[in-house]
Structures are given as structure tokens and as C-alpha cells.
Amino acid sequence: MRGWIGLAIIAGVVYYFATETDKLDKPINDITSMFTKADKKLDSMTGTKIIRVDKHIPQVKAEIYERLSTIEIRELDGIFVSNESIAEFKGQYCHSSARHPVFSKENLQFICDKI
């Protein structure tokens, strides 16, 4: 029973330092950066990077292009450069109150539904 009480006290102290003070911020950041560096080093050592090829995108682009104006098509071409840019666009503009400076509201909704 004493072991559990001691463990609970230690957990409480660690929780306090992690949430109420900045005493653990530097060690946590150091460990995170160490793992990030190790991951980058491993990537550079293997020389390979996994790139997911999405064969769905060209078909979706063709469907979307049919309804867009020339200006909107140019804007969309800037979005479809990578999977990361598509994900960033979805995060920024694919919610109910989003507005885009180039796409009409209907076309923006259509694009978000397709991607």
C-alpha cells in the first residue's frame, strides 16, 4: 500500500511541474528535438523518402476544372502542387464559415467536397 501512495505523490509532483511551472519545458523540448534530429538523420542515411501517389487527384482536377473560371483554375493549380498544399488548403478553407479571395462560395464548397 505504501508503494502506491509514494507513486501517487511522485505522479502528482511531476504533473504539477509539467502543468503549473516551466521547469520541464526545456527538458521536454530537448528530448523532442533529439528525436526530430534522429529522425532526420535516419531519413538522410537511408536516402529514401516515402511519397504517396494519389491517382485520384487528376480525375478530381478534371471534374473541378469544368466549373471554374480561368482565374479560379490558375488558383487551383497553385493548390494542387503537393499533398501538403492540398491538406493546408482543406484546413484553411474547408469549413462552413470559410471564404476564399478567388473562388466563389459555391465553387469553394464544390472543391472541398471533391478533395
Side-chain angles (χ1 to χ4, degrees):
M1 188 70 166
R2 286 187 193 176
W4 290 107
I5 293 173
L7 187 60
I9 290 172
I10 291 170
V13 169
V14 169
Y15 178 79
Y16 171 78
F17 279 114
T19 59
E20 300 297 325
T21 69
D22 61 354
K23 301 284 186 203
L24 294 179
D25 289 348
K26 184 176 182 337
I28 290 171
N29 288 337
D30 291 344
I31 291 170
T32 304
S33 69
M34 182 180 69
F35 280 117
T36 303
K37 287 178 187 175
D39 190 35
K40 287 180 181 178
K41 184 167 186 131
L42 183 64
D43 285 345
S44 69
M45 287 172 44
T46 59
T48 58
K49 191 170 192 171
I50 298 173
I51 300 173
R52 185 176 144 235
V53 176
D54 195 348
K55 296 180 181 181
H56 180 69
I57 296 297
Q59 180 184 2
V60 170
K61 281 173 73 172
E63 290 178 37
I64 296 172
Y65 280 4
E66 292 176 5
R67 7 176 344 146
L68 300 181
S69 69
T70 306
I71 296 169
E72 290 174 322
I73 289 173
R74 286 187 197 135
E75 182 73 17
L76 191 65
D77 284 339
I79 295 165
F80 279 124
V81 293
S82 69
N83 288 338
E84 292 82 18
S85 64
I86 293 170
E88 184 179 321
F89 176 83
K90 285 172 73 172
Q92 188 172 3
Y93 293 108
C94 292
H95 53 82
S96 62
S97 62
R99 300 271 186 248
H100 192 276
V102 175
F103 300 117
S104 69
K105 184 176 181 181
E106 294 80 19
N107 285 344
L108 180 62
Q109 183 63 48
F110 184 73
I111 293 167
C112 289
D113 289 346
K114 291 294 181 178
I115 60 173

